Amino acid sequence: MVLIHYKKTELNQFLYECSANTPTDQVIKDLVQINNMRIILDRLACAMEDLATHGPLKPEDTRGLSEQSLIDAAIETMAPEKKPWAVTPQQLLPGQRLNPDKTAYRTGVIQTEELAKMVIENCTKVKQAISKNLVDLKQCLTTKIVQDQLDLLRGCMMICYPGYHGLPPWEPAREILEGQYDTQATFTEQYDFLDEKNTSLWWAGKELLRGKLLSDFIKKNEKTKIIVRLQKTGAGAPVREPAVDAETQKKMMAFYYKKQQEQKELEADNEDVYLNSSWLILNN
């Protein structure tokens, strides 16, 4: 099997494995799906952790407001269906707890300790299952693995909020699971949410054209390892990766700076020795 290392940035990378005879169209499809699902899963896990810790998200009108006068003013102009989510309820339903959000973005109404713990533990497992650290561990991702992680988090949500009952429509975790989340507006270039139909595959400065097999470019050696990039079609070749990573470059700069300082100190010491030399003193 050919080992493919997809690398967008140091934070966005994973391993994928396939046969050398795999069509490039299939490789692109799988890489795009895994890339996008990793982004979605990371965002979903974070949203569910926030939900388990501080409850549902307030309406946009009252987020961040802590002064009651400002909250009341915002509620006056708010649509009726949003008002119940704008303030902390006076009475909690059986099993609910209160954990106020210091940022005032969330209602503070959370589920039982057991359910909250279950959600956070599973979110941690999902993050580990898609982590960039799997590259160092030589563990590959597949479309099934990332789909299984999504199903796991969906199951957690259904246990805590059956049918999303108790969640406003603007809650990020609900939006993601219902396919309503605006990924393009949220995710940065660093993570690069991709469009399969408008994406090309590059390796070693060459585009691996659609309609061909992977072996047309890398031969039929099933023990090959390649580092690839996904690029928007028509955008040209992606920028080549630096010869050294950021951490190594930082250490090199620190080393050179230290050497420069040592050289300056040495030159200063030599000048002092010269000025204090016995033959110079006698001549004076």
Side-chain angles (χ1 to χ4, degrees):
M1 301 290 278
V2 176
L3 184 62
I4 295 179
H5 181 181
Y6 168 73
K7 188 174 185 182
K8 171 65 176 179
T9 65
E10 288 299 319
L11 294 176
N12 185 9
Q13 55 179 311
F14 59 86
L15 297 179
Y16 165 84
E17 206 171 36
C18 67
S19 167
N21 291 323
T22 304
T24 54
D25 293 78
Q26 184 64 48
V27 175
I28 293 172
K29 180 179 179 180
D30 288 350
L31 291 179
V32 167
Q33 183 174 346
I34 294 171
N35 173 80
N36 292 353
M37 286 293 292
R38 288 181 71 244
I39 297 171
I40 290 173
L41 283 167
D42 183 69
R43 183 66 189 93
L44 176 58
C46 291
M48 288 179 61
E49 287 173 337
D50 290 341
L51 179 60
T53 305
H54 293 297
L57 193 65
K58 293 181 179 179
E60 189 174 2
D61 314 62
T62 57
R63 289 173 203 166
L65 300 181
S66 55
E67 294 186 19
Q68 192 59 46
S69 60
L70 296 177
I71 296 174
D72 292 339
I75 291 176
E76 285 183 8
T77 59
M78 190 180 297
E81 65 271 13
K82 291 184 178 181
K83 290 183 179 181
W85 305 100
V87 294
T88 301
Q90 295 297 316
Q91 289 186 330
L92 300 179
L93 296 176
Q96 290 183 334
R97 296 177 298 147
L98 189 62
N99 185 27
D101 179 11
K102 294 180 180 180
T103 68
Y105 265 63
R106 292 181 172 272
T107 63
V109 178
I110 61 177
Q111 300 286 20
T112 65
E113 182 176 356
E114 181 182 0
L115 288 177
K117 182 180 178 181
M118 180 268 293
V119 169
I120 292 174
E121 286 180 350
N122 280 292
C123 285
T124 299
K125 289 179 181 178
V126 168
K127 287 181 178 181
Q128 292 173 344
I130 61 171
S131 170
K132 68 181 183 65
N133 296 330
L134 296 179
V135 173
D136 296 329
L137 299 174
K138 296 181 172 56
Q139 295 183 18
C140 297
L141 288 179
T142 65
T143 55
K144 184 180 184 305
I145 288 176
V146 292
Q147 183 61 50
D148 287 346
Q149 304 312 307
L150 179 62
D151 293 340
L152 175 61
L153 293 186
R154 189 187 302 277
C156 290
M157 283 291 288
M158 289 299 101
I159 292 174
C160 295
Y161 299 93
Y164 305 121
H165 178 71
L167 292 179
W170 56 81
E171 171 60 46
R174 177 176 177 175
E175 287 184 325
I176 293 172
L177 289 171
E178 290 186 328
Q180 301 299 318
Y181 198 75
D182 187 358
T183 54
Q184 299 296 340
T186 303
F187 298 118
T188 65
E189 178 64 22
Q190 181 180 34
Y191 293 103
D192 195 13
F193 198 86
L194 300 168
D195 176 9
E196 178 194 334
K197 296 180 180 179
N198 195 28
T199 297
S200 57
L201 179 65
W202 290 78
W203 166 65
K206 298 182 297 185
E207 182 179 357
L208 308 190
L209 300 174
R210 291 177 179 269
K212 293 183 175 292
L213 300 178
L214 197 58
S215 57
D216 292 333
F217 303 96
I218 66 169
K219 307 305 178 187
K220 295 186 178 181
N221 185 357
E222 293 287 354
K223 295 184 179 180
T224 302
K225 177 182 178 180
I226 61 175
I227 299 178
V228 303
R229 297 290 182 96
L230 293 174
Q231 185 83 342
K232 186 176 181 180
T233 301
V239 178
R240 287 186 175 273
E241 188 176 0
V244 295
D245 58 49
E247 186 63 29
T248 302
Q249 187 175 25
K250 188 186 298 183
K251 291 180 180 178
M252 290 172 61
M253 294 296 291
F255 174 79
Y256 290 134
Y257 176 78
K258 181 180 178 182
K259 285 296 181 183
Q260 286 180 339
Q261 294 301 109
E262 291 176 349
Q263 184 64 29
K264 289 180 181 179
E265 293 175 1
L266 183 60
E267 291 174 356
D269 290 342
N270 288 341
E271 185 175 343
D272 290 341
V273 170
Y274 171 78
L275 293 175
N276 295 323
S277 60
S278 56
W279 64 270
L280 183 62
I281 296 173
L282 290 174
N283 288 338
N284 290 337

